[in-house]
Structures are given as C-alpha cells and as structure tokens.
Amino acid sequence: MSRPPAGAPLRVALLGCGVVGTEVASLISSQSDELASRVGAPLELVGIAVRDASKPREGIEGTPLAELLTDEAESLVRRADIVIEVMGGIEPARSLLLSAIESGASVVTANKALLAQDGPTLYAAADAAGVDIYFEAAVAGAIPIVRPVRESLAGDHVERILGIVNGTTNFVLDRMANEGLELDVVVKEAQDLGYAEADPSADVDGHDAAAKAAILASLAFHTRVRLEDVAVEGIMGLTAQDIAWARSTDQVVKLLAIAERTTEGVVVRVHPALVPSSHPLAGVHGAFNAVFVEARSAGELMFYGRGAGGQPTASAVLGDLVSAARHRVLGGKGPVESSYAQLPVLPASQARTRVQIRLDVQDRPGVLAKVAAVVAEHGVSIEAVRQAPGEEVAHLVVTTHEARQEALDATVEALREIDVVDTVVSVLRVEGS
Ligand code: NAP
Ligand code: HSE
C-alpha cells in the first residue's frame, strides 16, 4: 500500500448516491476538517458514481457535491486511494471493487449481499494487493459488530450468536404484537414508512438476515460460511394468532439469525422463533437491531442500535473510511480474512433447538397419551403440555426439550398423521431460554 506524500489529500471515490451514499457524501463534506485531523491528511471526494448522473437528488442538488456526480464508475475507481461502495447488488459492484483493489485502492463496502455471496474473492484480492477491505455497515447498520467479532473477540471463542439483524421484520413483528394486526397490513405500513424495500421480499423472506448471518458466522468461527449454507425461513407464514399466543404466554416472536458452534461443526440459520420476554432480545422494539453474542471467556454480550437508515449506516461507513485512511497515512493494515478453522458447516437439520407445537386435537380420553407416545417414539422429550378447552376440539400446546431439528421435524410430521390430531396449528422454535 503506497503512502501519499506528507499532507497530500487522500482521494476518495464513492459508488452510489442513494439512501446511504447521500449521507456518506454529506458527512465527508460537512466534517472535512475533523476527518482530516482524525486521519492525519485531508480526504478529497473525487467523484460519486451513479446510474443516472442527470437525475435531481435531494440533499445534493445545488451543492458542490452535485459537480462530482458521474456515470463513469470504472474510470473513477482507478483514480482513488479509497473506494466506498454503497451501490448494492452483485454486479457491477463486484467488478468495480476488484478493479479498485487491483489499482491499489483500499475499499469500504456496505454490500452484505455481495460479501455473503463472494466475500472470499474480494478478501483474497485485497490481501494480495496489500490493501484494506472494511465492511462494518454490511451487518446491522450503525451497530459496531463486525469489528468486535473480528478484532475485540479475536482472543476468545465465540460459541453462539443470536441476532435481530433485519429492522423491517422486527418492526412488523413488534407492531403485530402491540396492535394485534395481520402481517400483510403491517408490511404495507413498513413500506409506507420507508423501512421495507419496495419489493420487501429480501426482508420478509429472511434473505437479508441470512446474508448478515453468513458474514457474522464466517468471522466468529474462522470458517467460510456461504449464503447457501444458511437455512432460511421468513416471517410470511406467521399469523396474528401466533403472535397473540406468544404474548399471552409471556413470549415474543422474533426473526432470529442464529450462528452456533456444535461439537460437530457450525450451524447457521434464520427463522422466526419464540423468545421469552425476559431475554434481552425480547426488548428490541421497532426497526432496531441487536446482536447477542455468547463467548467462552467474555460470556454474554449484547450490541444494540439502528440497523438501517441513511445516517446510521453512513456512521459505520465513515468509521471504516477513517480506519482505511489512517493506514494510508501512518502505514499498517486492517485485519485480513481468517478462515483457518474450516469447521464443517452443517445443515440446519443438525441444529439443536426446542419447539412449541400447537395442535387441535379431539377432546376424548387417551388423546394426550397418543400424542405423548408419538413424541417419545422420535426420541424427543416433552418439557410441558398445556391444554385449553375448545368447542368441539381441544387445543394442545406441547413444548419440547432440546432435540435435533431433524427429530423435531419427524415428530411434527408423525403428529400430522395420527387420527386424534385434527390440525397442527403452528410449530415455532423456542430460543434464548
Ligand atoms: P439505494 O438507495 O438504492 O442507492 C443505490 C445507489 O447506487 C444509487 O445512487 C444508484 O444510482 C447507484 N447505483 C446502483 N447501481 C448502479 C450501477 N450499476 N452503476 C452506478 N451506480 C449504481 O441503496 P441504499 O439503500 O443506499 O443501499 C446501498 C448499499 O448499502 C446496499 O448494498 C445495501 O444493502 C447497503 N445497506 C443499506 C442500508 C439501508 O438502510 N439503506 C443499511 C445497511 C446496508 P441512481 O441513484 O442513479 O439509481
Ligand atoms: N432492509 C434492511 C432492514 C436494511 O430492514 O434491516 C439494512 O440491511
């Protein structure tokens, strides 16, 4: 990594001027003196690449930043010391970052989709070129979580990460719990408020959380975890009744990203789960995010804050920019990929979890015994059974002890088949207790 002459400005290129990019550009411009003092050299924004440079842009229009807009991203990245990528998507972001690295620039990206899909290619290229790659904003927006897992906990053993890493779904589930609303009504509200994307499927189907889970798991377990290694279930199957049931039993439903080390390897999954109201994650409301980390020596840690939005995300990007810029001025280099452990990445069927199964059953003698027998036949132990009377059927709630997901799945399938069970109303995993 070449050092600029003493006092010379560092050239910064920005790729993208949308929700995040607009705030990044504004902060670099409005805080230029402070940033220069923190870095030890001025930062000069040399260009902002967008798809359509002629489009009027709120917050940029009429300011000197408007002069920097260009649709020539490829040439821009080749004349920068540091490239910030907040355009999103896989291509051309990937090729542009590789071009930047090849021409000796350090890079900062918020692009979780790209890192979860092809991070190792970028990390290897940056390592070979001797430049930095930073990506704090790619996981949970403003919350410092990449640096703590990658650096602060580098001397510890992370055992488990439980995260609420998607603000849109947390907002939706929280509103459903508080107002008793159905899911589609609240998703529409989240779109109107600008939390959910115009096409909210990446949020509600769990794919946004899965990308973040893959990145966190890779860092935590020093093992490459790819997006396709993450088992994903979104929130679309949840009903107002599921949420009301949780509330009435002192639990909440959260979309969790779970990365854990087992004796056989690593399991990474994203799905809705019941969390006891006493767990710290149960108190995460609205569009906020939180990441709960369990480490062998440190014990339990929780990181909480805003996981999305232009300004919060720009805060994380600017932190990375300062780190990369300091290395340019003072020498040194940020962390490189650590994947030495290469633990086996196991399918979610190997995860150990508990479930709460709600069943409509016939209300007659021997029913409970039949249900209990099916559960026992699959090697699953029951922790509690609760029965609520219905008009023609009884509602049975079976909570299991911890068991392998595959045994729990087989139990549920077998319960669907027995004559005393009218309907399996819902099956939700229980985490955090
Ligand atoms: P956005 O509002 O859609 O902005 C994307 C920007 O990139 C736009 O300015 C767009 O140009 C430009 N762009 C897209 N494709 C381009 C191309 N092929 N060539 C040149 N410019 C291109 O996106 P965003 O919400 O700011 O998100 C940006 C990144 O940050 C994504 O990776 C996202 O996952 C990540 N992130 C976002 C948040 C958040 O809260 N929004 C939080 C954490 C991480 P035009 O304006 O001309 O279309
Ligand atoms: N759509 C994401 C969320 C934004 O709702 O959390 C940042 O990844």
Side-chain angles (χ1 to χ4, degrees):
M1 193 187 304
S2 64
R3 289 203 207 178
L10 287 169
R11 294 158 301 168
V12 178
L14 181 61
L15 306 180
C17 194
V19 174
V20 181
T22 303
E23 296 298 335
V24 170
S26 305
L27 289 174
I28 292 175
S29 144
S30 65
Q31 303 181 149
S32 60
D33 290 347
E34 273 180 293
L35 289 171
S37 302
R38 292 175 196 179
V39 166
L43 299 179
E44 184 194 352
L45 195 53
V46 292
I48 306 174
V50 288
R51 256 184 305 234
D52 178 1
S54 63
K55 185 167 96 179
R57 288 165 197 275
E58 210 181 314
I60 301 282
E61 202 65 12
T63 76
L65 294 172
E67 315 276 301
L68 299 174
L69 291 167
T70 172
D71 48 20
E72 303 279 331
E74 182 59 42
S75 65
L76 174 63
V77 299
R78 294 195 173 271
R79 53 188 170 90
D81 299 301
I82 302 174
V83 172
I84 301 172
E85 186 271 307
V86 283
M87 68 198 318
I90 306 300
E91 286 293 352
R94 179 179 176 280
S95 302
L96 289 168
L97 286 177
L98 287 171
S99 291
I101 290 168
E102 192 182 280
S103 61
S106 290
V107 297
V108 172
T109 177
N111 194 333
K112 71 216 97 171
L114 175 58
L115 293 177
Q117 185 168 312
D118 202 17
T121 302
L122 294 166
Y123 307 145
D127 195 20
V131 300
D132 284 332
I133 176 161
Y134 280 107
F135 48 91
E136 184 62 68
V139 183
I143 304 176
I145 184 65
V146 169
R147 227 178 229 90
V149 171
R150 185 149 83 144
E151 298 184 50
S152 317
L153 292 169
D156 206 329
H157 284 82
V158 175
E159 304 290 359
R160 193 163 195 247
I161 295 179
L162 283 182
I164 295 172
V165 292
N166 182 267
T168 303
T169 45
N170 202 57
F171 170 83
V172 168
L173 295 174
D174 204 37
R175 284 282 289 159
M176 286 174 77
N178 293 334
E179 310 297 332
L181 297 168
E182 281 294 347
L183 191 130
D184 50 352
V185 175
V186 193
V187 170
K188 170 78 176 61
E189 197 181 332
Q191 278 174 290
D192 293 345
L193 284 167
Y195 295 137
E197 309 294 320
D199 171 8
S201 58
D203 297 310
V204 296
D205 292 342
H207 299 298
D208 175 77
K212 295 165 182 169
I215 296 169
L216 279 183
S218 301
L219 298 174
F221 304 126
H222 305 274
T223 291
R224 283 184 181 168
V225 178
R226 298 157 309 159
L227 187 55
E228 57 266 36
D229 295 323
V230 184
V232 193
E233 261 173 56
I235 64 169
M236 291 311 281
L238 293 169
T239 63
Q241 201 195 25
D242 291 326
I243 310 288
W245 158 259
R247 195 181 161 94
S248 71
T249 51
D250 228 9
Q251 306 175 93
V252 292
V253 180
K254 296 288 184 193
L255 182 73
L256 295 184
I258 304 171
E260 59 202 339
R261 187 198 293 264
T262 71
T263 45
E264 295 93 19
V266 167
V267 186
V268 190
R269 53 200 163 109
V270 169
H271 56 71
L274 291 161
V275 175
S277 299
S278 55
H279 192 278
L281 288 175
V284 178
H285 297 293
F288 276 80
N289 283 193
V291 184
F292 189 78
V293 180
E294 297 167 16
R296 197 181 291 171
S297 305
E300 295 176 346
L301 303 160
M302 175 131 138
F303 302 83
Y304 169 85
R306 291 186 192 279
Q311 268 193 3
T313 308
S315 163
V317 170
L318 267 279
D320 282 352
L321 171 63
V322 169
S323 297
R326 278 183 183 148
H327 288 147
R328 291 269 156 177
V329 174
L330 302 170
K333 204 168 126 18
V336 295
E337 185 191 24
S338 171
S339 58
Y340 72 91
Q342 291 183 329
L343 299 173
V345 185
L346 307 171
S349 57
Q350 299 307 302
R352 292 188 66 78
T353 185
R354 298 164 59 219
V355 288
Q356 213 164 75
I357 310 165
R358 291 197 292 129
L359 306 161
D360 280 346
V361 296
Q362 293 165 19
D363 201 1
R364 60 176 166 80
V367 168
L368 196 54
K370 272 199 173 178
V371 168
V374 166
V375 178
E377 273 163 25
H378 289 84
V380 173
S381 164
I382 292 177
E383 185 201 271
V385 179
R386 179 173 156 158
Q387 183 173 348
E391 283 188 8
E392 284 165 22
V393 292
H395 303 294
L396 212 56
V397 183
V398 178
T399 308
T400 71
H401 279 297
E402 201 175 89
R404 262 197 218 287
Q405 183 70 61
E406 61 189 353
L408 294 167
D409 289 343
T411 304
V412 172
E413 282 321 302
L415 286 172
R416 285 188 209 282
E417 299 304 319
I418 56 173
D419 58 350
V420 296
V421 172
D422 281 4
T423 323
V424 175
V425 178
S426 89
V427 182
L428 280 170
R429 277 154 283 211
V430 184
E431 298 286 343
S433 53

